[in-house]
Amino acid sequence: MNIRNDHPFDSATKLTDLGGGKFAGETSADYANVVGTFGGVTAATMMRAVLENADRRGDPVAQTVNFCGSIGSGDFEVSTTMERAGKNTQHWSLKLIQNGEVKTTASIVCGVRSEAFSKQIETKPPAPEPKSCTQLKTKGLISWLERYSFRFVEGEPQLSGIPLSEQGNSRSLLWISDIPERPLDTLSLAAISDCFFPRLLHLRGKMVPFGTVSMTTYFHATTAEISTNGATAVLGASDSKRVHRNFHDQQMQLWASGGELLASGAQLVWYKE
Amino acid sequence: MNIRNDHPFDSATKLTDLGGGKFAGETSADYANVVGTFGGVTAATMMRAVLENADRRGDPVAQTVNFCGSIGSGDFEVSTTMERAGKNTQHWSLKLIQNGEVKTTASIVCGVRSEAFSKQIETKPPAPEPKSCTQLKTKGLISWLERYSFRFVEGEPQLSGIPLSEQGNSRSLLWISDIPERPLDTLSLAAISDCFFPRLLHLRGKMVPFGTVSMTTYFHATTAEISTNGATAVLGASDSKRVHRNFHDQQMQLWASGGELLASGAQLVWYKE
């Protein structure tokens, strides 16, 4: 972790160890969503609870977060349970509880990573440098959007009312980075995994009620490898495979500028209409 | 569910309701793996525990299964907890316990699905009919392999010792069906999600120690829609994005012969060497 006490992301994910695997946290207005908190920060908070656990061994390799209910402004508690630990992996279960209600559940797998056969099959899509891509104007829309720079290569969200579904194109490619800048780590990647605008907006050309129900992220690089990137933008790609009867998937990949795939994953989104 | 009392899959996933959200199960020699039980049947067993729960509403839309430790031959218990229920979704947490140890954890989201905007973005890959593809010989290898028909269109596993990594090709495309035949349902799709040979075998051209640590499946069709397919083969596609330092992802899609994407997902695989 690259914790900076003066960065809003680190303040938003800050936890106080209560002992017995329990941690106290508080929502941050900096990452407020239309309703509740930005899911990416919730994912990062769950991740931080495992990383700050004294019993944790190895790097996080997989995380699934289930968004059960929106987290209201204020205090919450995160409980962590190490379900099983072996020579190579640790399996953690987590719950975020607010006012006695389960708001989020998560599972995180940590793994010992050493020298082994290595092969990247999927190559980074071609993209111009971040500085030559126009930054999306997010000022005054939703709080958490102001905490990220979105520089679109393709698939910029268009609330034009013109559905793009005839084109069948819902792919976005964009450079994403923290505002203010912050060195990349597992926490920021866990959050950026949830940074993509819903594919439905692209397909419909308008906003409809939606919410992520479950999100899974795999980390393809070690904590040390992620850290070598420093405070830089990652290239994010996102698309959907099927939108059907109130639920759609949303795939994503996060690439380092050097070409390494740092993380990949998917989420399932509920939508109305 | 299309439960058939005379089918080995239904016997293997059979549960006895113990009350209080707990169910008793027993491993089946028909789906034994090299060590423990075929993960697909474990996933289906967890799914069946939710489907047989009287409080369950809606169709399963997302499932994550974490394989914490191998399940030994014999009895086990599955505990189910409904963490949260809203108008549109239900969030379930599950644990499979054997001899006092957590062997598997899972989260399952059920959702109410009705008429809504629908769009399939990813199209079914072209493939000849199942009957014109040669069935893989699996007799006498591993028990669970004999319970499925694998008819490869491309990417047949080759234990030739020749690594395919130079070609960078790890994709497989194949028709998969139950042996004996069984009408498709959410349970069989949950199992078939784990039916793909490890990508590592393709890339290395040899078998190395490996094991799935986490698997996530999204169901893109309703229970009723899945059921209309009857006892038929699904077209499965699988590939990996990155194999690095003891962990690799494995993406998968399951298509109905008619072209509908029935399920998609990914798993994270631990490997040695």
Side-chain angles (χ1 to χ4, degrees):
Chain A
M1 292 190 288
N2 295 317
I3 301 304
R4 309 256 156 143
N5 291 326
D6 60 345
H7 196 288
F9 181 78
D10 299 289
S11 304
T13 59
K14 193 178 173 184
L15 293 167
T16 305
D17 193 339
L18 303 173
K22 291 186 192 300
F23 296 83
E26 197 183 336
T27 59
S28 162
D30 290 328
Y31 290 88
N33 207 343
V34 182
V35 177
T37 295
F38 166 51
V41 153
T42 304
T45 303
M46 305 296 258
M47 178 63 81
R48 189 161 170 179
V50 167
L51 292 178
E52 293 196 346
N53 208 299
D55 297 330
R56 193 260 314 169
R57 297 282 174 277
D59 292 340
V61 292
Q63 179 179 35
T64 292
V65 184
N66 297 294
F67 300 99
C68 306
S70 66
I71 301 166
S73 179
D75 300 339
F76 56 79
E77 196 175 296
V78 177
S79 68
T80 63
T81 307
M82 188 165 65
E83 302 287 1
R84 200 79 193 280
K87 201 174 62 173
N88 304 303
T89 54
Q90 273 186 343
H91 284 269
W92 293 85
S93 289
L94 297 96
K95 281 185 195 180
L96 189 153
I97 293 163
Q98 191 179 46
N99 303 326
E101 288 184 331
V102 176
K103 297 298 182 86
T104 320
T105 66
S107 56
I108 293 175
V109 185
C110 293
V112 176
R113 308 187 79 152
S114 58
E115 287 298 330
F117 174 84
S118 186
K119 175 88 187 162
Q120 186 168 305
I121 289 107
E122 201 163 300
T123 54
K124 174 172 160 275
E129 289 195 10
K131 63 182 177 190
S132 61
C133 304
T134 311
Q135 189 176 332
L136 189 75
K137 288 185 179 66
T138 55
K139 191 84 184 160
L141 293 174
I142 302 164
S143 289
W144 77 265
L145 290 177
E146 296 187 29
R147 299 273 61 81
Y148 290 97
S149 158
F150 303 94
R151 294 175 181 271
F152 278 84
V153 177
E154 67 175 70
E156 191 165 336
Q158 290 181 17
L159 296 171
S160 59
I162 303 164
L164 302 179
S165 53
E166 290 85 26
Q167 303 168 42
N169 191 349
S170 55
R171 191 175 98 125
S172 287
L173 190 63
L174 67 156
W175 292 100
I176 309 169
S177 55
D178 282 300
I179 296 177
E181 66 173 25
R182 181 184 178 281
L184 278 180
D185 61 7
T186 314
L187 292 184
S188 60
L189 289 180
I192 292 171
S193 297
D194 195 32
C195 255
F196 297 91
F197 291 80
R199 298 303 92 193
L200 205 61
L201 191 152
H202 295 254
L203 289 166
R204 307 286 301 269
K206 63 175 184 177
M207 194 54 88
V208 295
F210 76 94
T212 301
V213 295
S214 188
M215 176 172 81
T216 293
T217 305
Y218 297 151
F219 300 92
H220 298 294
T222 66
T223 299
E225 287 167 340
I226 293 167
S227 197
T228 58
N229 287 279
T232 184
V234 290
L235 183 68
S238 182
D239 207 345
S240 178
K241 294 181 189 296
R242 192 174 188 191
V243 180
H244 188 58
R245 289 187 178 262
N246 305 111
F247 291 92
H248 73 83
D249 68 307
Q250 188 159 310
Q251 311 289 323
M252 75 89 205
Q253 298 88 46
L254 300 177
W255 309 87
S257 54
E260 302 85 11
L261 183 65
L262 298 176
S264 72
Q267 58 177 248
L268 193 75
V269 180
W270 168 86
Y271 66 95
K272 207 174 167 177
E273 295 175 19
Chain B
M1 294 191 287
N2 295 316
I3 301 302
R4 308 258 156 142
N5 290 325
D6 58 346
H7 197 287
F9 181 77
D10 299 289
S11 305
T13 59
K14 192 178 175 185
L15 293 167
T16 305
D17 194 340
L18 302 174
K22 292 186 192 299
F23 296 83
E26 196 183 339
T27 57
S28 161
D30 289 328
Y31 290 88
N33 207 342
V34 182
V35 178
T37 295
F38 166 50
V41 152
T42 304
T45 304
M46 304 296 257
M47 178 64 81
R48 190 161 170 179
V50 167
L51 292 177
E52 293 196 347
N53 208 298
D55 298 330
R56 192 260 313 170
R57 297 282 175 276
D59 292 340
V61 292
Q63 178 179 36
T64 292
V65 184
N66 297 293
F67 301 98
C68 306
S70 67
I71 301 166
S73 179
D75 299 339
F76 57 79
E77 196 175 295
V78 177
S79 66
T80 63
T81 307
M82 188 166 64
E83 302 287 3
R84 200 79 193 280
K87 202 173 61 174
N88 304 304
T89 54
Q90 273 186 343
H91 285 269
W92 294 85
S93 289
L94 297 98
K95 281 185 195 181
L96 189 153
I97 293 164
Q98 191 179 46
N99 303 327
E101 289 184 329
V102 176
K103 296 299 182 84
T104 320
T105 66
S107 56
I108 292 174
V109 185
C110 292
V112 176
R113 308 188 79 152
S114 57
E115 286 299 329
F117 174 85
S118 186
K119 176 87 186 162
Q120 186 168 307
I121 289 106
E122 201 164 300
T123 53
K124 173 171 161 277
E129 290 194 11
K131 62 183 176 189
S132 61
C133 304
T134 311
Q135 190 177 334
L136 189 76
K137 287 185 178 66
T138 55
K139 191 82 185 161
L141 294 173
I142 302 165
S143 289
W144 77 265
L145 290 176
E146 296 187 29
R147 300 272 62 81
Y148 290 97
S149 157
F150 304 94
R151 293 175 181 271
F152 279 84
V153 177
E154 67 175 69
E156 191 166 337
Q158 290 181 18
L159 296 170
S160 58
I162 304 163
L164 302 178
S165 53
E166 289 84 25
Q167 304 168 42
N169 191 349
S170 55
R171 189 174 102 123
S172 287
L173 189 64
L174 66 156
W175 293 100
I176 309 169
S177 56
D178 282 299
I179 295 178
E181 67 172 26
R182 182 184 179 279
L184 277 180
D185 60 8
T186 314
L187 292 184
S188 61
L189 289 180
I192 292 172
S193 297
D194 195 33
C195 255
F196 297 91
F197 291 81
R199 298 304 92 194
L200 205 62
L201 191 153
H202 295 254
L203 290 166
R204 308 286 300 271
K206 62 174 184 178
M207 194 54 89
V208 294
F210 76 95
T212 301
V213 294
S214 188
M215 175 172 82
T216 292
T217 305
Y218 297 151
F219 300 91
H220 297 294
T222 65
T223 299
E225 288 167 339
I226 294 167
S227 197
T228 58
N229 287 279
T232 183
V234 290
L235 183 67
S238 181
D239 207 345
S240 178
K241 294 180 188 299
R242 192 174 188 192
V243 180
H244 188 57
R245 287 186 178 263
N246 304 112
F247 291 93
H248 74 83
D249 69 305
Q250 189 158 310
Q251 312 289 324
M252 76 90 204
Q253 298 88 46
L254 299 177
W255 309 86
S257 55
E260 302 85 12
L261 183 65
L262 299 177
S264 71
Q267 59 176 249
L268 192 75
V269 180
W270 168 85
Y271 66 95
K272 206 174 169 179
E273 296 177 17

